[in-house]
Amino acid sequence: EIMKKLLSCLALALVLTGCGGGGGEKAPEKVTKTCQLSAGEGIVVDVVGEAADEKSKVDVIHMKTNINFEDLGVSADAFKEVSDEQKQELTDQMKTSILTSMGIDESDGVTFVKNEFTDNGYELHATFDVDLLAKALGAEATDEMNLEAFVEGMEESGMTCK
């Protein structure tokens, strides 16, 4: 399952955090690194680490998940026939399912930027801090979780980073 692969990637990134150093003055703008995991043609998960600079601790993790209708097992035409109430129920179920698979709860401090069905399928964009991710993985976040270690861990786990 894609969420298990994503969690493995994130766990490895956290394990590797002991090999980097933080420090230096903070840049006025945030620097981000995006790592992507694809499953088939229709499921894409982007994990974005955000920090003051390459050597600073990752402040925020953005997780963007896109799943097309075919990978959900439904056609786009059939989905158009679903009522708005049913769409909302499905949206809530998708969000809960993804969070549950990560072992976290919305009340833990997850912020949802987007959680909806579009013309192409389902989209979820959630943000959370490194400490919450560490808790979800049963690991310990450290001040050494910088962008370099984040990217190294993601790439070693099979993700493509840029």
Side-chain angles (χ1 to χ4, degrees), residues 16-92:
L16 292 173
T17 59
C19 63
E25 291 186 25
K26 299 211 183 282
E29 293 184 23
K30 299 285 184 177
V31 175
T32 62
K33 293 292 180 181
T34 302
C35 299
Q36 189 172 86
L37 177 67
S38 298
E41 295 181 20
I43 301 174
V44 177
V45 178
D46 287 331
V47 180
V48 181
E50 180 180 297
D53 59 47
E54 299 265 343
K55 301 283 187 185
S56 295
K57 180 180 178 183
V58 174
D59 298 320
V60 178
I61 300 287
H62 299 270
M63 183 182 73
K64 300 174 183 178
T65 304
N66 293 292
I67 307 171
N68 70 21
F69 282 115
E70 289 75 26
D71 285 301
L72 290 170
V74 65
S75 73
D77 290 337
F79 194 76
K80 290 177 183 175
E81 304 300 318
V82 175
S83 72
D84 289 343
E85 184 178 300
Q86 289 171 317
K87 286 179 185 175
Q88 185 59 52
E89 287 177 25
L90 288 169
T91 301
D92 291 343

Side-chain angles (χ1 to χ4, degrees), residues 86-100:
Q86 289 171 317
K87 286 179 185 175
Q88 185 59 52
E89 287 177 25
L90 288 169
T91 301
D92 291 343
Q93 289 173 1
M94 291 292 291
K95 176 175 70 173
T96 300
S97 176
I98 289 171
L99 289 178
T100 300

Side-chain angles (χ1 to χ4, degrees), residues 88-161:
Q88 185 59 52
E89 287 177 25
L90 288 169
T91 301
D92 291 343
Q93 289 173 1
M94 291 292 291
K95 176 175 70 173
T96 300
S97 176
I98 289 171
L99 289 178
T100 300
S101 72
M102 294 178 66
I104 58 178
D105 187 82
E106 188 171 356
S107 64
D108 289 332
V110 178
T111 301
F112 291 95
V113 177
K114 184 181 258 189
N115 178 39
E116 65 187 16
F117 281 93
T118 65
D119 291 340
N120 299 317
Y122 174 73
E123 290 185 30
L124 174 76
H125 176 184
T127 62
F128 39 89
D129 67 27
V130 169
D131 296 325
L132 175 59
L133 179 62
K135 175 186 164 195
L137 297 172
E140 193 172 310
T142 70
D143 290 336
E144 305 299 321
M145 179 59 168
N146 62 41
L147 276 176
E148 288 178 346
F150 172 80
V151 168
E152 182 180 332
M154 296 291 113
E155 288 178 340
E156 286 185 7
S157 296
M159 294 185 90
T160 304
C161 301

